[in-house]
Amino acid sequence: MQYGMEQVGIGNVRMLKEKIGNAVLYRGEWPWRSGQDEERQKKLNTQAEWTLEKASGRKEEPDEQTRQILEVVSRYDEADYKEQITNRKNWQMMFQLAQTRGNIVEWLEIPAQANVLELGAGCGSITSVLLKKGARITCQEENPHYCMANAKRHSQYDTLTIYAMPFAECEPNLEGNFDLVTAVGVPELAKQPEELLEKLRRLLKPDGVLLLAVENKFGLKYWAGNKEPYTGRYYAGLEQDGVRLFSQNGLKDVLAKTGFSQQEFYYPYPDYRFAQDIYSDRHLPQKGDLNYNIANYEDDRILVFDEQKVFDGIIEERQFPFFSNSYLCLAAKGAGSWIRQKADYVRYASDRGRDYAVRTTLADTQVCKRPLYPQGAAHVAHIAQAYGRLCRQYADTDLLFNRCRMVGTGAQAYAQFDRIHAQALQTQVEQAVTTGHFEQVLEQLKRLMRYIRNGGDPVPFAETEDFIRVFGKIQGLDVLTGSACSQVSDIDLILPNIFVDADDRWHVIDYEWTFFFPVPQNFMIYRTLFFLQRENPQQKQLAMDRLLKAASISREEAAVYAQMETGFQRFAAGGQTPYREMVNLLGRKYADLVQLKEDFDSVVRQNEILKGKGIWKIARAVKKKLTGNKNI
């Protein structure tokens, strides 16, 4: 990596311009206010002496977490970041380097070679995504160590310029020619929103777009017991205590007031930091979709209620936008910009190994699956092969598979499907559970079992090399001797992946995890039952023992299938720890207030029972002796 330094004057500020490979980094500040300052500059006329610390009059050493970040970006490729994050159990590293941080912009279709300004760039997770899209990036970030990490991480790009200073100091040097300005979680927006937005509007081209990602002051996570991000306190945003967060209407108003007349809102879930889903008003979540709510990576939390159940009620009342945990807003000065995106909904399966990580996009009439990394191209092409073979295997049934075709070539190829506007079988089953019609649930499950067991000519189970590769070495496989297996096995034939049309025809919309080696048909059924029970843990009628009995699956079989499920999840994750588990790895805790209250009430009842008994007399005597208080 090549390094180079020179002193430059921009406006009335003298800076150090440093080359980190091909990337340019400006840092330090020294206003030319007087001749005395110029004399001082002459004394520091060597490149070695002109450093950020001397220019600013202070020395800033990185803390331990930041030091580890700098070490990782210097020694490892991006493909290795996830392993380093999970091994080191470093929250700041996760926030700054996790690939999922870039999901908030990865799905955007932006102009070719767009000129982009990124505020609060941190260590460059979003920068990385935009550079790979071919954009020219100007980054602003106050933390000089984060700026250095960003520059080292992207040193191969000559389209990257970084300012290590507050936005107010670099803003006079920026020209108003940006196609896109991003402000993702920028604290300044909560401090002086009107002033900041006015400046950003002036920096945009006439058809340029502003991208804001912000917390929703009324986000359900804050009602449920997550701390507010800027103050680290409970309910600070809700109570408007020391911080100004926005509701959707509040954000709309301040944008309109500052000249952004065109606005498009999206709803990242669980929030904009590590977006797994991005909803829009054209495609909002359905009941049961929002089940990733324990995501307090940064700190402990309290648990006031079950967020999934409350979200389900909010969705039923059509109030989701008001309670969305955060907002992604695209705003423009006027018509004619590229603000309107084709995507109605985006889902990321990025908590997988790079061979299997994909992005699914729903547009008007189509659904597309794209690999997130070049090595995932084979996995996406495999889906098209699975479509043909599944159609042939289930040709004698009325189970339909959504048509798949490959579009494009090479690394740009993706799988395209028809968008089916119908109700998910999962929704039908959940409605039957809610109304207590469990016989309907069993009928739907039996129908699915018939499809699985009647599709094609079954073959006996055999532990093949491919089986071991996907599921690992399983104990007790002798239980499966003679088990009927599908030759082509869609092991993800679960309720959410089946849509039911008005004529009661079943359409399989997602068959990504299809394998071309013998897999027990009962394992496919087991997975459906397992996920159904997991979504309804309090329903005795859907207890796993009952479901297994209805499916004629023995406990011994189920024990083998539980091992297979664990092995498959490990396979899909590429052998790495999913970010979902980082809450536990980081040692974060949550206090269930309902359980705490019940425990407290139990203690009070026990105290009442013990009052007046000998143990209490002894306890009071001991307390009097220890405290010297004779009135106890």
Side-chain angles (χ1 to χ4, degrees), residues 519-546:
V519 176
Q521 294 173 342
N522 277 356
F523 173 64
M524 297 159 65
I525 294 169
Y526 168 87
R527 294 193 86 235
T528 299
L529 304 181
F530 171 76
F531 289 114
L532 173 62
Q533 193 277 330
R534 193 175 72 172
E535 291 297 314
N536 300 276
Q538 306 303 321
Q539 297 290 347
K540 293 181 180 179
Q541 292 86 343
L542 299 179
M544 199 61 182
D545 284 346
R546 288 192 177 192

Side-chain angles (χ1 to χ4, degrees), residues 14-146:
R14 181 162 288 181
M15 305 178 186
L16 173 68
K17 179 182 178 182
E18 187 171 354
K19 289 291 293 289
I20 311 295
N22 293 323
V24 175
L25 172 63
Y26 290 104
R27 57 179 182 165
E29 63 167 323
W30 197 338
W32 292 354
R33 293 186 301 270
S34 66
Q36 184 180 2
D37 285 333
E38 293 184 27
E39 287 300 317
R40 188 178 176 195
Q41 160 61 23
K42 291 176 183 177
K43 294 178 182 179
L44 296 174
N45 58 3
T46 66
Q47 293 177 351
E49 288 177 304
W50 180 258
T51 65
L52 174 66
E53 291 79 11
K54 287 186 178 181
S56 61
R58 65 183 184 276
K59 186 174 183 179
E60 294 184 357
E61 294 292 339
D63 58 26
E64 176 57 22
Q65 292 201 16
T66 305
R67 186 195 63 75
Q68 289 189 30
I69 292 172
L70 289 166
E71 177 188 346
V72 167
V73 298
S74 298
R75 294 178 54 188
Y76 297 93
D77 294 329
E78 281 194 347
D80 301 318
Y81 287 179
K82 185 175 183 179
E83 182 179 7
Q84 291 301 314
I85 290 167
T86 52
N87 288 347
R88 295 172 186 248
K89 303 176 180 61
N90 182 330
W91 151 243
Q92 202 61 40
M93 184 183 294
M94 177 184 176
F95 184 76
Q96 293 295 338
L97 300 184
Q99 181 271 337
T100 49
R101 287 266 287 132
N103 289 352
I104 198 70
V105 299
E106 191 277 338
W107 63 283
L108 287 176
E109 295 184 8
I110 64 176
Q113 297 181 322
N115 196 16
V116 179
L117 171 64
E118 181 186 358
L119 271 65
C123 295
S125 289
I126 292 171
T127 311
S128 180
V129 173
L130 294 170
L131 285 170
K132 290 169 186 173
K133 286 178 175 288
R136 303 185 64 85
I137 316 288
T138 300
C139 291
Q140 173 275 326
E141 167 59 49
E142 290 192 36
N143 187 314
H145 306 298
Y146 288 174

Side-chain angles (χ1 to χ4, degrees), residues 378-542:
H379 177 63
V380 172
H382 172 85
I383 300 173
Q385 298 173 28
Y387 168 69
R389 296 186 65 170
L390 286 167
C391 287
R392 291 191 290 273
Q393 177 165 287
Y394 290 91
D396 293 335
T397 74
D398 58 354
L399 187 65
L400 304 173
F401 290 83
N402 192 10
R403 185 167 62 104
C404 175
R405 51 218 174 267
M406 293 300 295
V407 178
T409 59
Q412 304 303 316
Y414 60 91
Q416 187 179 84
F417 311 81
D418 296 327
R419 183 171 176 180
I420 297 176
H421 295 277
Q423 189 178 53
L425 181 57
Q426 172 83 8
T427 302
Q428 285 192 358
V429 169
E430 289 294 341
Q431 288 173 350
V433 170
T434 301
T435 56
H437 292 96
F438 293 99
E439 70 284 354
Q440 295 179 13
V441 176
L442 291 177
E443 283 303 315
Q444 299 288 46
L445 292 175
K446 288 176 182 177
R447 180 175 174 180
L448 180 58
M449 292 179 205
R450 287 196 298 271
Y451 283 135
I452 292 173
R453 288 170 174 161
N454 295 333
D457 297 323
V459 296
F461 173 72
E463 186 187 26
T464 63
E465 290 185 6
D466 282 333
F467 180 92
I468 295 172
R469 176 177 60 86
V470 174
F471 299 108
K473 291 295 290 183
I474 305 297
Q475 301 297 316
L477 276 181
D478 55 314
V479 172
L480 303 184
T481 302
S483 294
C485 296
S486 296
Q487 298 184 58
V488 180
S489 307
D490 175 10
I491 70 166
D492 219 17
L493 200 59
I494 57 177
L495 304 181
N497 288 338
I498 300 171
F499 276 32
V500 184
D501 67 20
D503 297 321
D504 198 35
R505 292 176 302 186
W506 284 17
H507 302 258
V508 181
I509 63 165
D510 192 350
Y511 36 86
E512 182 179 349
W513 295 111
T514 297
F515 298 112
F516 303 155
F517 58 84
V519 176
Q521 294 173 342
N522 277 356
F523 173 64
M524 297 159 65
I525 294 169
Y526 168 87
R527 294 193 86 235
T528 299
L529 304 181
F530 171 76
F531 289 114
L532 173 62
Q533 193 277 330
R534 193 175 72 172
E535 291 297 314
N536 300 276
Q538 306 303 321
Q539 297 290 347
K540 293 181 180 179
Q541 292 86 343
L542 299 179

Side-chain angles (χ1 to χ4, degrees), residues 290-319:
L290 307 182
N291 54 19
Y292 186 5
N293 299 304
I294 303 299
N296 52 304
Y297 305 108
E298 67 274 30
D299 206 346
D300 297 342
R301 63 166 291 184
I302 57 177
L303 191 66
V304 180
F305 49 73
D306 185 327
E307 284 160 85
Q308 180 175 348
K309 291 180 179 178
V310 177
F311 262 134
D312 283 349
I314 287 170
I315 289 167
E316 198 168 32
E317 296 291 334
R318 300 187 299 278
Q319 296 298 317

Side-chain angles (χ1 to χ4, degrees), residues 549-596:
K549 184 177 180 180
S552 300
I553 297 175
S554 69
R555 290 186 177 183
E556 292 75 18
E557 265 189 282
V560 170
Y561 299 148
Q563 293 180 64
M564 289 174 61
E565 177 63 19
T566 300
F568 168 67
Q569 295 296 338
R570 189 181 302 114
F571 165 78
Q576 297 187 9
T577 304
Y579 282 133
R580 275 178 176 262
E581 297 182 20
M582 281 300 293
V583 170
N584 297 324
L585 289 178
L586 292 166
R588 304 306 187 217
K589 303 179 181 64
Y590 63 87
D592 187 329
L593 291 193
V594 174
Q595 187 61 52
L596 288 174

